[in-house]
Amino acid sequence: MLTVIGYPNYWLAKVIASKLKAIEIDVYDKVFPDGELYVRLANPERVALNKVVIVSTFYPEQEKRILKTMLLIDAAKNNNPSKLIALIPYLAYSRQDKVFLPGEPVSACLIMKLLKNAGVDVLLTVDVHSSRVLECFNGLSVNVMISDLLVKHALRYLNNPVVIAPDKGALERASLPAKTHGLDYDYLEKHRDRVTGEVSYSPREINVRGRDIIIVDDIISTGGTIAESSRMLLKKGANRVIVAASHGLLVGEAIKKLESAGVLKVILADTLGLRHEHKLIEYVDITDKLIEELNKVIA
Ligand code: R5P
């Protein structure tokens, strides 16, 4: 038997439960007068000796979602599931995956340890910033790569594009879909000021004149990375630029920034607890891919 427990009102939990033909347990949640969070499983007896999938995502309101997810994991664990799987498409804090400046924590690693210690047996996530983060989970984890699906969608609009990673670390994110779809790929040399967060690019020999471009990234937050790279590629003579990203946080003026940097479309996966409505944005459904990966770990 399979039981699904969703983060309160997270649409993905219902979809997963229905596609897996599982029982979804209702969650009662409230906030105490002093601001502390409370959750209660409506039917805890449906957890015992069952495989349980907790479906959550860590954006928006990262801290609240992280803590409430931990409470759900603990509530489930207290009722003796035979296996506890956490499906968390977006892992917040994953970018702080090392000590960049002395005195910093490794936040990404801490989140992994919290999930493991709370009782998660298997962790499934989508395109985590760097797979090295998952080593801190110290258990079975699956990083579902979806850039091939995003690039496939972008190909509706472009002619034989070059797939570009906005920095060397993201090269695999570009090379995988490029190889799948028989496209050229390359990367840019990005620098980020660790204090101001500002992004700049070093010159690098890259032939994009007259070519359409798909920039592939994991996260669009302020839009600075994509806006800078799009501007640079268009200046080098690129024809059209489309962006494909797994997690579109798009904070503040991000969309305006992308629009004014000449980005034609923003192709996103639906990995967050919110959706942005804008003429530039198109979402790609990745639920079948998640089901495929879930089925493997459930078996
Ligand atoms: C950084 O290395 C990530 O892969 C993204 O490129 C970055 O988080 C994007 O942030 P922003 O949109 O604020 O430039």
Side-chain angles (χ1 to χ4, degrees):
M1 283 267 279
L2 190 65
T3 300
V4 168
I5 301 173
Y7 185 92
N9 302 319
Y10 182 30
W11 64 272
L12 184 62
K14 289 220 163 357
V15 176
I16 296 290
S18 129
K19 291 198 178 199
L20 287 176
K21 297 190 175 32
I23 307 161
E24 190 192 356
I25 292 189
D26 285 333
V27 172
Y28 172 68
D29 73 321
K30 67 174 182 182
V31 181
F32 285 111
D34 58 2
E36 291 181 5
L37 303 174
Y38 171 90
V39 298
R40 181 166 57 81
L41 307 180
N43 311 93
E45 68 282 358
R46 292 192 167 154
V47 169
L49 305 180
N50 279 356
K51 290 178 181 165
V52 171
V53 184
I54 299 219
V55 185
S56 183
T57 188
F58 289 169
Y59 191 88
E61 301 182 292
Q62 297 91 317
E63 292 75 23
K64 187 170 109 184
R65 281 174 183 267
I66 289 169
L67 182 54
K68 211 184 264 192
T69 304
M70 298 295 170
L71 298 178
L72 287 174
I73 294 165
D74 192 59
K77 200 70 188 173
N78 291 342
N79 287 281
N80 303 316
S82 62
K83 192 181 212 176
L84 211 161
I85 300 159
L87 168 61
I88 307 174
Y90 178 67
L91 289 170
Y93 287 89
S94 62
R95 284 169 289 178
Q96 184 72 35
D97 59 355
K98 60 180 173 194
V99 173
F100 296 99
L101 296 176
E104 291 177 346
V106 186
S107 318
C109 200
L110 173 67
I111 301 286
M112 294 300 101
K113 290 180 200 162
L114 291 175
L115 287 167
K116 182 71 184 165
N117 290 341
V120 174
D121 299 310
V122 185
L123 173 65
L124 247 105
T125 191
V126 173
D127 192 7
V128 66
H129 178 63
S130 134
S131 49
R132 147 175 86 225
V133 165
L134 297 174
E135 287 166 21
C136 297
F137 178 70
N138 199 17
L140 178 60
S141 61
V142 182
N143 182 25
V144 184
M145 292 306 290
I146 51 156
S147 53
D148 56 332
L149 297 179
L150 302 178
V151 165
K152 185 176 173 204
H153 187 98
L155 287 174
R156 296 175 182 185
Y157 301 105
L158 301 177
N159 183 24
N160 188 28
V162 188
V163 184
I164 299 278
D167 58 70
K168 204 172 179 184
L171 187 56
E172 206 189 351
R173 213 166 267 126
S175 66
L176 283 176
K179 285 174 188 161
T180 307
H181 299 288
L183 304 169
D184 295 333
Y185 64 93
D186 214 324
Y187 68 92
L188 304 175
E189 200 83 65
K190 172 173 131 179
H191 304 279
R192 188 184 286 277
D193 184 312
R194 287 283 152 206
V195 178
T196 63
E198 224 159 88
V199 168
S200 61
Y201 280 95
S202 302
R204 185 165 177 274
E205 214 41 64
I206 173 168
N207 190 8
V208 291
R209 184 157 297 282
R211 299 289 302 270
D212 284 343
I213 305 286
I214 305 174
I215 306 176
V216 181
D217 209 353
D218 55 338
I219 300 169
I220 308 178
S221 179
T222 64
T225 299
I226 299 297
E228 277 306 302
S229 48
S230 169
R231 250 191 219 104
M232 195 179 90
L233 292 161
L234 289 167
K235 217 186 263 171
K236 281 180 178 289
N239 189 20
R240 295 173 292 180
V241 173
I242 283 188
V243 177
S246 300
H247 316 289
L249 314 186
L250 298 169
V251 302
E253 302 280 275
I255 277 285
K256 270 197 193 155
K257 258 192 227 171
L258 301 183
E259 207 168 14
S260 61
V263 171
L264 195 70
K265 278 202 184 299
V266 179
I267 313 289
L268 300 173
D270 212 347
T271 59
L272 308 176
L274 56 74
R275 258 174 171 258
H276 299 275
E277 298 296 334
H278 190 277
K279 61 180 192 308
L280 241 59
I281 300 175
E282 287 176 20
Y283 282 95
V284 173
D285 185 4
I286 58 161
T287 49
D288 284 345
K289 179 96 178 167
L290 296 179
I291 293 290
E292 192 184 311
E293 297 297 333
L294 267 173
N295 273 326
K296 287 185 205 161
V297 295
I298 290 164

